[in-house]
Amino acid sequence: MRKVTPSELLVYEECPRKWFYSYKAKPTFRGKRSAPCAFPLFSSTMHSTIGQYLLYHEPPIEIFEEKWQKYRHYDPESLVYKKHETWQTLNLLGRFLIVEFMASCMKYIRQGGTDVLFVEKNIEYHDPHGIYLLKTRPDVLCMGHDGAIIILEIKNTETPCNPLWVYGSDQLTAYAMAVEQYLEYDLAVNPIKVLLCNLHKCQEGISWTWGERNLMSKAQYHSKIKRFLEDTGNVVSAEDTQRRTLYAWSSPCNVCNFTEPCYSITTQKSNDVPDIIFDNIANPFL
């Protein structure tokens, strides 16, 4: 039985070659590693703070400040901030978003006797035919007063996300499949509700979007996993995969940059798409 994660499938859809170097044969990094960026650490701090608040009703602002304080005196070579971004600005942003979350979550999470079952719990979906094992980690799982299951996904974004993401995200479908099996829930009777909470980096504050997952979305995702397993079952080298089939007209991901000689490729998306040059770009994935 092969282990699969939603992130792995997403990377393969983006670029099979990137998937190979990220999951099949992780490359040896040639060069100096760059310091981690501050915003992912800020996002992780926000996630854990909100989780503790929902599960244990602990004061979230105090939790956030205690967690974020440990990054205050990192030197520039240990933690990288973007332009116009400092420890203090992220601290103020975190406090603002937590206040906004506390005010708005009453409408979506706390109202009507909704119970928080668990936060950031590893849940596995075992394929009934023994083909694959899907590993997931939902942010928050709740049960409404009517017995409906609600999966809450928290996203930290620099700009507002397209709310349509909640209707088609494979990540949320994977969560629903795993939760259905774990709780012995029946999607055929009641679809699982999914709720996206966007914590915007800009001053838009917080936005919420509802969606659901049913048997149709489950069947479609199961078929996608089977195709992925068939496509990658015999991959033994990078040459067995293609380069950047999706988003090929966008910026390079640079995974290949430190594992092969630099090269240029011409995309076939349209006549006005420029060549992509892989040359002297730091690798953000290593």
PDB file of all heavy atoms in Angstrom, residues 108 153 155 157 159-170 172 194-198 200 206-213:
ATOM      1  N   TYR A 108     -19.715  31.534  12.945  1.00  0.00           N
ATOM      2  CA  TYR A 108     -19.507  30.329  12.144  1.00  0.00           C
ATOM      3  C   TYR A 108     -19.199  29.083  12.975  1.00  0.00           C
ATOM      4  O   TYR A 108     -19.581  27.971  12.607  1.00  0.00           O
ATOM      5  CB  TYR A 108     -18.358  30.553  11.157  1.00  0.00           C
ATOM      6  CG  TYR A 108     -18.627  31.650  10.166  1.00  0.00           C
ATOM      7  CD1 TYR A 108     -18.200  32.946  10.398  1.00  0.00           C
ATOM      8  CD2 TYR A 108     -19.330  31.382   8.996  1.00  0.00           C
ATOM      9  CE1 TYR A 108     -18.450  33.961   9.486  1.00  0.00           C
ATOM     10  CE2 TYR A 108     -19.586  32.387   8.081  1.00  0.00           C
ATOM     11  CZ  TYR A 108     -19.149  33.664   8.329  1.00  0.00           C
ATOM     12  OH  TYR A 108     -19.410  34.662   7.431  1.00  0.00           O
ATOM     13  N   GLU A 153     -10.633  24.988   7.546  1.00  0.00           N
ATOM     14  CA  GLU A 153      -9.292  25.162   6.993  1.00  0.00           C
ATOM     15  C   GLU A 153      -8.898  26.628   7.133  1.00  0.00           C
ATOM     16  O   GLU A 153      -9.629  27.524   6.689  1.00  0.00           O
ATOM     17  CB  GLU A 153      -9.261  24.744   5.523  1.00  0.00           C
ATOM     18  CG  GLU A 153      -7.933  24.976   4.820  1.00  0.00           C
ATOM     19  CD  GLU A 153      -6.820  24.049   5.317  1.00  0.00           C
ATOM     20  OE1 GLU A 153      -7.102  23.125   6.113  1.00  0.00           O
ATOM     21  OE2 GLU A 153      -5.669  24.252   4.901  1.00  0.00           O
ATOM     22  N   LYS A 155      -6.253  29.633   6.311  1.00  0.00           N
ATOM     23  CA  LYS A 155      -5.225  30.024   5.357  1.00  0.00           C
ATOM     24  C   LYS A 155      -4.727  31.426   5.677  1.00  0.00           C
ATOM     25  O   LYS A 155      -5.516  32.343   5.905  1.00  0.00           O
ATOM     26  CB  LYS A 155      -5.777  30.010   3.915  1.00  0.00           C
ATOM     27  CG  LYS A 155      -6.109  28.631   3.385  1.00  0.00           C
ATOM     28  CD  LYS A 155      -4.859  27.814   3.146  1.00  0.00           C
ATOM     29  CE  LYS A 155      -5.189  26.481   2.493  1.00  0.00           C
ATOM     30  NZ  LYS A 155      -3.987  25.611   2.374  1.00  0.00           N
ATOM     31  N   THR A 157      -2.976  34.452   3.951  1.00  0.00           N
ATOM     32  CA  THR A 157      -2.737  34.916   2.591  1.00  0.00           C
ATOM     33  C   THR A 157      -2.263  36.348   2.587  1.00  0.00           C
ATOM     34  O   THR A 157      -2.666  37.156   3.428  1.00  0.00           O
ATOM     35  CB  THR A 157      -4.010  34.812   1.743  1.00  0.00           C
ATOM     36  OG1 THR A 157      -5.045  35.551   2.393  1.00  0.00           O
ATOM     37  CG2 THR A 157      -4.449  33.368   1.586  1.00  0.00           C
ATOM     38  N   THR A 159      -2.767  38.248  -0.140  1.00  0.00           N
ATOM     39  CA  THR A 159      -3.867  38.910  -0.825  1.00  0.00           C
ATOM     40  C   THR A 159      -5.081  37.998  -0.736  1.00  0.00           C
ATOM     41  O   THR A 159      -4.937  36.782  -0.581  1.00  0.00           O
ATOM     42  CB  THR A 159      -3.527  39.173  -2.310  1.00  0.00           C
ATOM     43  OG1 THR A 159      -3.166  37.936  -2.927  1.00  0.00           O
ATOM     44  CG2 THR A 159      -2.379  40.145  -2.436  1.00  0.00           C
ATOM     45  N   PRO A 160      -6.289  38.536  -0.840  1.00  0.00           N
ATOM     46  CA  PRO A 160      -7.483  37.703  -0.709  1.00  0.00           C
ATOM     47  C   PRO A 160      -7.504  36.558  -1.713  1.00  0.00           C
ATOM     48  O   PRO A 160      -7.209  36.729  -2.887  1.00  0.00           O
ATOM     49  CB  PRO A 160      -8.625  38.698  -0.979  1.00  0.00           C
ATOM     50  CG  PRO A 160      -8.064  40.021  -0.614  1.00  0.00           C
ATOM     51  CD  PRO A 160      -6.608  39.965  -0.990  1.00  0.00           C
ATOM     52  N   CYS A 161      -7.824  35.358  -1.235  1.00  0.00           N
ATOM     53  CA  CYS A 161      -7.897  34.181  -2.099  1.00  0.00           C
ATOM     54  C   CYS A 161      -9.231  34.146  -2.827  1.00  0.00           C
ATOM     55  O   CYS A 161     -10.219  34.693  -2.376  1.00  0.00           O
ATOM     56  CB  CYS A 161      -7.747  32.902  -1.278  1.00  0.00           C
ATOM     57  SG  CYS A 161      -6.076  32.565  -0.729  1.00  0.00           S
ATOM     58  N   ASN A 162      -9.229  33.456  -3.942  1.00  0.00           N
ATOM     59  CA  ASN A 162     -10.464  33.232  -4.666  1.00  0.00           C
ATOM     60  C   ASN A 162     -11.347  32.299  -3.841  1.00  0.00           C
ATOM     61  O   ASN A 162     -10.952  31.172  -3.552  1.00  0.00           O
ATOM     62  CB  ASN A 162     -10.144  32.603  -6.025  1.00  0.00           C
ATOM     63  CG  ASN A 162     -11.378  32.459  -6.896  1.00  0.00           C
ATOM     64  OD1 ASN A 162     -12.513  32.560  -6.426  1.00  0.00           O
ATOM     65  ND2 ASN A 162     -11.148  32.239  -8.172  1.00  0.00           N
ATOM     66  N   PRO A 163     -12.541  32.714  -3.458  1.00  0.00           N
ATOM     67  CA  PRO A 163     -13.387  31.853  -2.625  1.00  0.00           C
ATOM     68  C   PRO A 163     -13.792  30.556  -3.315  1.00  0.00           C
ATOM     69  O   PRO A 163     -14.209  29.609  -2.655  1.00  0.00           O
ATOM     70  CB  PRO A 163     -14.607  32.737  -2.326  1.00  0.00           C
ATOM     71  CG  PRO A 163     -14.602  33.781  -3.383  1.00  0.00           C
ATOM     72  CD  PRO A 163     -13.161  34.019  -3.716  1.00  0.00           C
ATOM     73  N   LEU A 164     -13.680  30.493  -4.652  1.00  0.00           N
ATOM     74  CA  LEU A 164     -14.016  29.263  -5.365  1.00  0.00           C
ATOM     75  C   LEU A 164     -13.069  28.119  -5.000  1.00  0.00           C
ATOM     76  O   LEU A 164     -13.376  26.953  -5.258  1.00  0.00           O
ATOM     77  CB  LEU A 164     -13.975  29.497  -6.881  1.00  0.00           C
ATOM     78  CG  LEU A 164     -15.047  30.443  -7.441  1.00  0.00           C
ATOM     79  CD1 LEU A 164     -14.837  30.635  -8.940  1.00  0.00           C
ATOM     80  CD2 LEU A 164     -16.436  29.892  -7.161  1.00  0.00           C
ATOM     81  N   TRP A 165     -11.927  28.444  -4.380  1.00  0.00           N
ATOM     82  CA  TRP A 165     -10.978  27.401  -3.978  1.00  0.00           C
ATOM     83  C   TRP A 165     -11.649  26.383  -3.075  1.00  0.00           C
ATOM     84  O   TRP A 165     -11.370  25.192  -3.152  1.00  0.00           O
ATOM     85  CB  TRP A 165      -9.800  28.051  -3.251  1.00  0.00           C
ATOM     86  CG  TRP A 165      -8.760  27.093  -2.781  1.00  0.00           C
ATOM     87  CD1 TRP A 165      -7.691  26.635  -3.495  1.00  0.00           C
ATOM     88  CD2 TRP A 165      -8.673  26.476  -1.495  1.00  0.00           C
ATOM     89  NE1 TRP A 165      -6.943  25.770  -2.735  1.00  0.00           N
ATOM     90  CE2 TRP A 165      -7.525  25.646  -1.514  1.00  0.00           C
ATOM     91  CE3 TRP A 165      -9.437  26.533  -0.343  1.00  0.00           C
ATOM     92  CZ2 TRP A 165      -7.136  24.896  -0.404  1.00  0.00           C
ATOM     93  CZ3 TRP A 165      -9.059  25.785   0.751  1.00  0.00           C
ATOM     94  CH2 TRP A 165      -7.924  24.980   0.709  1.00  0.00           C
ATOM     95  N   VAL A 166     -12.559  26.835  -2.228  1.00  0.00           N
ATOM     96  CA  VAL A 166     -13.164  25.934  -1.260  1.00  0.00           C
ATOM     97  C   VAL A 166     -14.055  24.905  -1.946  1.00  0.00           C
ATOM     98  O   VAL A 166     -14.289  23.819  -1.426  1.00  0.00           O
ATOM     99  CB  VAL A 166     -13.966  26.722  -0.202  1.00  0.00           C
ATOM    100  CG1 VAL A 166     -15.287  27.213  -0.754  1.00  0.00           C
ATOM    101  CG2 VAL A 166     -14.212  25.881   1.039  1.00  0.00           C
ATOM    102  N   TYR A 167     -14.537  25.195  -3.151  1.00  0.00           N
ATOM    103  CA  TYR A 167     -15.433  24.271  -3.840  1.00  0.00           C
ATOM    104  C   TYR A 167     -14.684  23.187  -4.603  1.00  0.00           C
ATOM    105  O   TYR A 167     -15.243  22.116  -4.870  1.00  0.00           O
ATOM    106  CB  TYR A 167     -16.339  25.040  -4.806  1.00  0.00           C
ATOM    107  CG  TYR A 167     -17.218  26.063  -4.116  1.00  0.00           C
ATOM    108  CD1 TYR A 167     -17.005  27.420  -4.282  1.00  0.00           C
ATOM    109  CD2 TYR A 167     -18.247  25.656  -3.264  1.00  0.00           C
ATOM    110  CE1 TYR A 167     -17.798  28.352  -3.641  1.00  0.00           C
ATOM    111  CE2 TYR A 167     -19.039  26.587  -2.614  1.00  0.00           C
ATOM    112  CZ  TYR A 167     -18.813  27.928  -2.806  1.00  0.00           C
ATOM    113  OH  TYR A 167     -19.588  28.846  -2.156  1.00  0.00           O
ATOM    114  N   GLY A 168     -13.448  23.445  -4.965  1.00  0.00           N
ATOM    115  CA  GLY A 168     -12.737  22.473  -5.779  1.00  0.00           C
ATOM    116  C   GLY A 168     -11.431  21.963  -5.222  1.00  0.00           C
ATOM    117  O   GLY A 168     -10.770  21.160  -5.866  1.00  0.00           O
ATOM    118  N   SER A 169     -11.050  22.406  -4.036  1.00  0.00           N
ATOM    119  CA  SER A 169      -9.743  22.047  -3.495  1.00  0.00           C
ATOM    120  C   SER A 169      -9.633  20.549  -3.226  1.00  0.00           C
ATOM    121  O   SER A 169     -10.429  19.965  -2.481  1.00  0.00           O
ATOM    122  CB  SER A 169      -9.504  22.821  -2.196  1.00  0.00           C
ATOM    123  OG  SER A 169      -8.433  22.258  -1.468  1.00  0.00           O
ATOM    124  N   ASP A 170      -8.614  19.919  -3.817  1.00  0.00           N
ATOM    125  CA  ASP A 170      -8.346  18.507  -3.541  1.00  0.00           C
ATOM    126  C   ASP A 170      -7.948  18.295  -2.086  1.00  0.00           C
ATOM    127  O   ASP A 170      -8.218  17.246  -1.507  1.00  0.00           O
ATOM    128  CB  ASP A 170      -7.228  17.996  -4.456  1.00  0.00           C
ATOM    129  CG  ASP A 170      -7.700  17.808  -5.891  1.00  0.00           C
ATOM    130  OD1 ASP A 170      -8.922  17.715  -6.096  1.00  0.00           O
ATOM    131  OD2 ASP A 170      -6.851  17.748  -6.787  1.00  0.00           O
ATOM    132  N   LEU A 172      -9.130  19.757   0.593  1.00  0.00           N
ATOM    133  CA  LEU A 172     -10.318  19.634   1.420  1.00  0.00           C
ATOM    134  C   LEU A 172     -11.070  18.338   1.133  1.00  0.00           C
ATOM    135  O   LEU A 172     -11.691  17.763   2.028  1.00  0.00           O
ATOM    136  CB  LEU A 172     -11.228  20.842   1.206  1.00  0.00           C
ATOM    137  CG  LEU A 172     -10.656  22.183   1.671  1.00  0.00           C
ATOM    138  CD1 LEU A 172     -11.638  23.317   1.387  1.00  0.00           C
ATOM    139  CD2 LEU A 172     -10.324  22.144   3.151  1.00  0.00           C
ATOM    140  N   VAL A 194     -17.381  22.089   4.618  1.00  0.00           N
ATOM    141  CA  VAL A 194     -16.021  22.618   4.729  1.00  0.00           C
ATOM    142  C   VAL A 194     -16.115  24.136   4.811  1.00  0.00           C
ATOM    143  O   VAL A 194     -16.940  24.770   4.148  1.00  0.00           O
ATOM    144  CB  VAL A 194     -15.134  22.186   3.541  1.00  0.00           C
ATOM    145  CG1 VAL A 194     -14.841  20.713   3.603  1.00  0.00           C
ATOM    146  CG2 VAL A 194     -15.777  22.530   2.208  1.00  0.00           C
ATOM    147  N   LEU A 195     -15.286  24.702   5.656  1.00  0.00           N
ATOM    148  CA  LEU A 195     -15.319  26.142   5.904  1.00  0.00           C
ATOM    149  C   LEU A 195     -13.910  26.691   5.790  1.00  0.00           C
ATOM    150  O   LEU A 195     -13.007  26.262   6.502  1.00  0.00           O
ATOM    151  CB  LEU A 195     -15.883  26.404   7.298  1.00  0.00           C
ATOM    152  CG  LEU A 195     -15.945  27.860   7.782  1.00  0.00           C
ATOM    153  CD1 LEU A 195     -16.804  28.697   6.846  1.00  0.00           C
ATOM    154  CD2 LEU A 195     -16.502  27.917   9.206  1.00  0.00           C
ATOM    155  N   LEU A 196     -13.712  27.610   4.858  1.00  0.00           N
ATOM    156  CA  LEU A 196     -12.415  28.242   4.651  1.00  0.00           C
ATOM    157  C   LEU A 196     -12.376  29.570   5.386  1.00  0.00           C
ATOM    158  O   LEU A 196     -13.243  30.423   5.204  1.00  0.00           O
ATOM    159  CB  LEU A 196     -12.169  28.466   3.159  1.00  0.00           C
ATOM    160  CG  LEU A 196     -10.915  29.265   2.802  1.00  0.00           C
ATOM    161  CD1 LEU A 196      -9.658  28.486   3.175  1.00  0.00           C
ATOM    162  CD2 LEU A 196     -10.893  29.619   1.325  1.00  0.00           C
ATOM    163  N   CYS A 197     -11.349  29.731   6.224  1.00  0.00           N
ATOM    164  CA  CYS A 197     -11.118  30.995   6.928  1.00  0.00           C
ATOM    165  C   CYS A 197      -9.828  31.594   6.400  1.00  0.00           C
ATOM    166  O   CYS A 197      -8.742  31.045   6.626  1.00  0.00           O
ATOM    167  CB  CYS A 197     -11.034  30.771   8.434  1.00  0.00           C
ATOM    168  SG  CYS A 197     -10.601  32.250   9.369  1.00  0.00           S
ATOM    169  N   ASN A 198      -9.934  32.710   5.700  1.00  0.00           N
ATOM    170  CA  ASN A 198      -8.763  33.392   5.150  1.00  0.00           C
ATOM    171  C   ASN A 198      -8.328  34.506   6.092  1.00  0.00           C
ATOM    172  O   ASN A 198      -9.096  35.426   6.385  1.00  0.00           O
ATOM    173  CB  ASN A 198      -9.089  34.005   3.783  1.00  0.00           C
ATOM    174  CG  ASN A 198      -8.704  33.085   2.653  1.00  0.00           C
ATOM    175  OD1 ASN A 198      -7.778  32.282   2.779  1.00  0.00           O
ATOM    176  ND2 ASN A 198      -9.405  33.186   1.531  1.00  0.00           N
ATOM    177  N   HIS A 200      -6.126  37.452   6.040  1.00  0.00           N
ATOM    178  CA  HIS A 200      -5.446  38.235   5.016  1.00  0.00           C
ATOM    179  C   HIS A 200      -4.315  39.067   5.598  1.00  0.00           C
ATOM    180  O   HIS A 200      -4.473  39.702   6.640  1.00  0.00           O
ATOM    181  CB  HIS A 200      -6.435  39.145   4.297  1.00  0.00           C
ATOM    182  CG  HIS A 200      -7.541  38.406   3.613  1.00  0.00           C
ATOM    183  ND1 HIS A 200      -7.299  37.452   2.656  1.00  0.00           N
ATOM    184  CD2 HIS A 200      -8.888  38.464   3.771  1.00  0.00           C
ATOM    185  CE1 HIS A 200      -8.463  36.969   2.234  1.00  0.00           C
ATOM    186  NE2 HIS A 200      -9.431  37.556   2.896  1.00  0.00           N
ATOM    187  N   ILE A 206     -10.524  39.255   7.791  1.00  0.00           N
ATOM    188  CA  ILE A 206     -10.819  37.833   7.685  1.00  0.00           C
ATOM    189  C   ILE A 206     -12.042  37.634   6.799  1.00  0.00           C
ATOM    190  O   ILE A 206     -13.020  38.377   6.896  1.00  0.00           O
ATOM    191  CB  ILE A 206     -11.067  37.225   9.074  1.00  0.00           C
ATOM    192  CG1 ILE A 206      -9.754  37.232   9.871  1.00  0.00           C
ATOM    193  CG2 ILE A 206     -11.622  35.811   8.990  1.00  0.00           C
ATOM    194  CD1 ILE A 206      -9.879  36.684  11.264  1.00  0.00           C
ATOM    195  N   SER A 207     -11.983  36.624   5.946  1.00  0.00           N
ATOM    196  CA  SER A 207     -13.144  36.263   5.145  1.00  0.00           C
ATOM    197  C   SER A 207     -13.434  34.780   5.341  1.00  0.00           C
ATOM    198  O   SER A 207     -12.532  33.979   5.602  1.00  0.00           O
ATOM    199  CB  SER A 207     -12.892  36.565   3.661  1.00  0.00           C
ATOM    200  OG  SER A 207     -11.806  35.803   3.162  1.00  0.00           O
ATOM    201  N   TRP A 208     -14.717  34.410   5.212  1.00  0.00           N
ATOM    202  CA  TRP A 208     -15.166  33.035   5.416  1.00  0.00           C
ATOM    203  C   TRP A 208     -15.912  32.567   4.176  1.00  0.00           C
ATOM    204  O   TRP A 208     -16.661  33.341   3.566  1.00  0.00           O
ATOM    205  CB  TRP A 208     -16.099  32.937   6.629  1.00  0.00           C
ATOM    206  CG  TRP A 208     -15.507  33.407   7.913  1.00  0.00           C
ATOM    207  CD1 TRP A 208     -15.379  34.699   8.345  1.00  0.00           C
ATOM    208  CD2 TRP A 208     -14.973  32.583   8.960  1.00  0.00           C
ATOM    209  NE1 TRP A 208     -14.794  34.737   9.588  1.00  0.00           N
ATOM    210  CE2 TRP A 208     -14.541  33.455  10.003  1.00  0.00           C
ATOM    211  CE3 TRP A 208     -14.830  31.205   9.133  1.00  0.00           C
ATOM    212  CZ2 TRP A 208     -13.978  32.989  11.178  1.00  0.00           C
ATOM    213  CZ3 TRP A 208     -14.267  30.732  10.308  1.00  0.00           C
ATOM    214  CH2 TRP A 208     -13.848  31.608  11.312  1.00  0.00           C
ATOM    215  N   THR A 209     -15.714  31.299   3.811  1.00  0.00           N
ATOM    216  CA  THR A 209     -16.424  30.733   2.664  1.00  0.00           C
ATOM    217  C   THR A 209     -16.851  29.306   2.985  1.00  0.00           C
ATOM    218  O   THR A 209     -16.033  28.499   3.439  1.00  0.00           O
ATOM    219  CB  THR A 209     -15.528  30.711   1.402  1.00  0.00           C
ATOM    220  OG1 THR A 209     -14.966  32.005   1.201  1.00  0.00           O
ATOM    221  CG2 THR A 209     -16.332  30.319   0.176  1.00  0.00           C
ATOM    222  N   TRP A 210     -18.127  28.998   2.723  1.00  0.00           N
ATOM    223  CA  TRP A 210     -18.654  27.665   2.966  1.00  0.00           C
ATOM    224  C   TRP A 210     -18.602  26.825   1.691  1.00  0.00           C
ATOM    225  O   TRP A 210     -18.729  27.330   0.586  1.00  0.00           O
ATOM    226  CB  TRP A 210     -20.109  27.726   3.424  1.00  0.00           C
ATOM    227  CG  TRP A 210     -20.304  28.084   4.857  1.00  0.00           C
ATOM    228  CD1 TRP A 210     -20.667  29.314   5.347  1.00  0.00           C
ATOM    229  CD2 TRP A 210     -20.165  27.223   5.982  1.00  0.00           C
ATOM    230  NE1 TRP A 210     -20.750  29.263   6.710  1.00  0.00           N
ATOM    231  CE2 TRP A 210     -20.450  27.995   7.136  1.00  0.00           C
ATOM    232  CE3 TRP A 210     -19.805  25.885   6.136  1.00  0.00           C
ATOM    233  CZ2 TRP A 210     -20.409  27.460   8.423  1.00  0.00           C
ATOM    234  CZ3 TRP A 210     -19.763  25.345   7.414  1.00  0.00           C
ATOM    235  CH2 TRP A 210     -20.068  26.123   8.539  1.00  0.00           C
ATOM    236  N   GLY A 211     -18.446  25.540   1.860  1.00  0.00           N
ATOM    237  CA  GLY A 211     -18.552  24.576   0.776  1.00  0.00           C
ATOM    238  C   GLY A 211     -18.951  23.238   1.363  1.00  0.00           C
ATOM    239  O   GLY A 211     -19.317  23.142   2.531  1.00  0.00           O
ATOM    240  N   GLU A 212     -18.884  22.189   0.570  1.00  0.00           N
ATOM    241  CA  GLU A 212     -19.195  20.854   1.075  1.00  0.00           C
ATOM    242  C   GLU A 212     -18.466  19.805   0.243  1.00  0.00           C
ATOM    243  O   GLU A 212     -17.947  20.098  -0.842  1.00  0.00           O
ATOM    244  CB  GLU A 212     -20.699  20.577   1.059  1.00  0.00           C
ATOM    245  CG  GLU A 212     -21.277  20.460  -0.336  1.00  0.00           C
ATOM    246  CD  GLU A 212     -22.747  20.015  -0.330  1.00  0.00           C
ATOM    247  OE1 GLU A 212     -23.478  20.357   0.618  1.00  0.00           O
ATOM    248  OE2 GLU A 212     -23.144  19.336  -1.296  1.00  0.00           O
ATOM    249  N   ARG A 213     -18.397  18.586   0.771  1.00  0.00           N
ATOM    250  CA  ARG A 213     -17.830  17.462   0.047  1.00  0.00           C
ATOM    251  C   ARG A 213     -18.827  16.308   0.107  1.00  0.00           C
ATOM    252  O   ARG A 213     -19.348  15.975   1.179  1.00  0.00           O
ATOM    253  CB  ARG A 213     -16.486  17.029   0.662  1.00  0.00           C
ATOM    254  CG  ARG A 213     -15.357  18.018   0.416  1.00  0.00           C
ATOM    255  CD  ARG A 213     -15.093  18.182  -1.078  1.00  0.00           C
ATOM    256  NE  ARG A 213     -14.002  19.091  -1.360  1.00  0.00           N
ATOM    257  CZ  ARG A 213     -14.123  20.412  -1.456  1.00  0.00           C
ATOM    258  NH1 ARG A 213     -15.298  20.980  -1.262  1.00  0.00           N
ATOM    259  NH2 ARG A 213     -13.084  21.169  -1.731  1.00  0.00           N
TER     260      ARG A 213
END
